[in-house]
Amino acid sequence: MKKLTFAYESQSDLRILNTGHGWKVEAPQSGSRLEGGPLGEDIYQLEQFHCHWGETSAEGSEHTVDGRAYAGELHLVHWNTTKYQSFAEAAQHPDGLAVLGVFFDVGNESNDEIEKIVSTLSEIKFKGQFTDIPDVIDPTTFLPSGLGYWTYLGSLTTPPCNECVIWIVYKEPITVTEEQLVQFRCLSACSGEAEEFIVKNYRPPQPLGNRALRECNA
Ligand SMILES: NS(=O)(=O)c1c(F)c(F)c(S(=O)(=O)CCO)c(N[C@H]2CCc3ccccc32)c1F
Ligand SMILES: [Zn+2]
């Protein structure tokens, strides 16, 4: 496969939302582009990013490697702007979306970019709340140093689970702290006073079936 190439811009004025299933950062009309690798000749534009976690650090990722789960997984969701006019249209086609997955390992040093997200979570405790992220976010800082990845054709892991995703999962995890994951788990799934914490929001891996998995050791 050709090398995966990023043209990621630092993003300011990003909005973070509590979806009731977790947090997501919207980057509409972002100038951040992804191409190459398994993406053929098309250009994919960053639409949003979010992440998945578990109630303990023994679980939380939506992919496992030889059966091993990681403490969480960041997803950078892109859509094919070469072929389709909107995200919604792209989500109806097998080559519509490209989602970059980055595993979280728990370690001692907190991830500064994730800290910019964590510092806003107290303002979006309840479902439906949103706030602006004051800092500038550079999505490339979420990526591990080693850019080897696995890729396969799969689906959204959230309803409607359209089979429209070219998954690109990095082999090397990034490090976050237990405290950062604890903050994720303090988000509430409800909009009202009732507090039902989003302690886990990952979908367990599904059978690979006859899907072909390819890898690139960048
Ligand atoms: N793991 S995943 O990458 O499959 C995945 C999610 F897991 C997830 F939670 C979300 S969401 O937007 O936070 C909640 C559902 O809309 C999306 N959002 C996608 C799905 C629908 C939609 C519509 C507009 C923009 C992004 C998305 C998602 F692509
Ligand atoms: Zn996801």
Side-chain angles (χ1 to χ4, degrees):
M1 277 180 290
K2 278 188 342 188
K3 213 165 59 70
L4 197 57
T5 51
F6 300 89
Y8 269 14
E9 286 176 4
S10 288
Q11 315 256 186
S12 51
D13 312 321
L14 288 172
R15 202 174 75 158
I16 186 168
L17 175 77
N18 177 334
T19 64
H21 306 283
W23 56 262
K24 80 170 169 179
V25 175
E26 297 164 335
Q29 289 88 37
S30 86
S32 293
R33 304 262 187 287
L34 184 64
E35 58 184 299
L39 304 179
E41 301 308 311
D42 296 344
I43 292 179
Y44 288 70
Q45 176 181 298
L46 180 66
E47 173 75 13
Q48 58 108 299
F49 56 90
H50 60 273
C51 90
H52 303 268
W53 58 85
E55 53 196 321
T56 71
S57 303
E59 55 178 31
S61 58
E62 299 209 307
H63 293 89
T64 54
V65 180
D66 295 331
R68 181 223 157 143
Y70 284 87
E73 191 171 323
L74 174 73
H75 288 160
L76 295 146
V77 182
H78 308 72
W79 60 281
N80 188 330
T81 53
T82 303
K83 281 190 179 169
Y84 308 113
Q85 308 309 315
S86 71
F87 181 95
E89 183 195 354
Q92 308 307 317
H93 303 272
D95 61 352
L97 305 189
V99 182
L100 284 189
V102 185
F103 290 125
F104 288 154
D105 235 357
V106 174
N108 296 328
E109 68 269 13
S110 78
N111 181 292
D112 296 344
E113 216 64 11
I114 293 287
E115 196 52 34
K116 295 176 184 174
I117 303 286
V118 169
S119 60
T120 67
L121 297 183
S122 57
E123 297 171 48
I124 58 166
K125 188 171 170 50
F126 295 103
K127 178 178 177 181
Q129 290 184 316
F130 56 85
T131 189
D132 289 329
I133 299 178
D135 315 287
V136 171
I137 296 263
D138 174 2
T140 46
T141 55
F142 288 130
L143 304 180
S145 45
L147 293 179
Y149 60 82
W150 291 289
T151 183
Y152 70 97
L153 298 181
S155 73
L156 292 173
T157 69
T158 182
C161 294
N162 307 31
E163 292 186 317
C164 63
V165 181
I166 298 173
W167 279 99
I168 299 169
V169 181
Y170 282 107
K171 296 184 176 184
E172 185 187 320
I174 60 170
T175 302
V176 300
T177 57
E178 187 61 37
E179 291 69 35
Q180 290 180 311
L181 291 172
V182 163
Q183 292 304 312
F184 288 178
R185 301 182 190 117
C186 292
L187 286 176
S188 176
C190 316
S191 46
E193 286 319 298
E195 267 187 353
E196 179 202 336
F197 294 122
I198 307 173
V199 291
K200 64 196 273 191
N201 65 358
Y202 69 95
R203 183 188 192 211
Q206 302 303 305
L208 184 60
N210 59 1
R211 269 184 285 264
L213 201 63
R214 291 183 294 165
E215 70 177 327
C216 168
N217 295 307

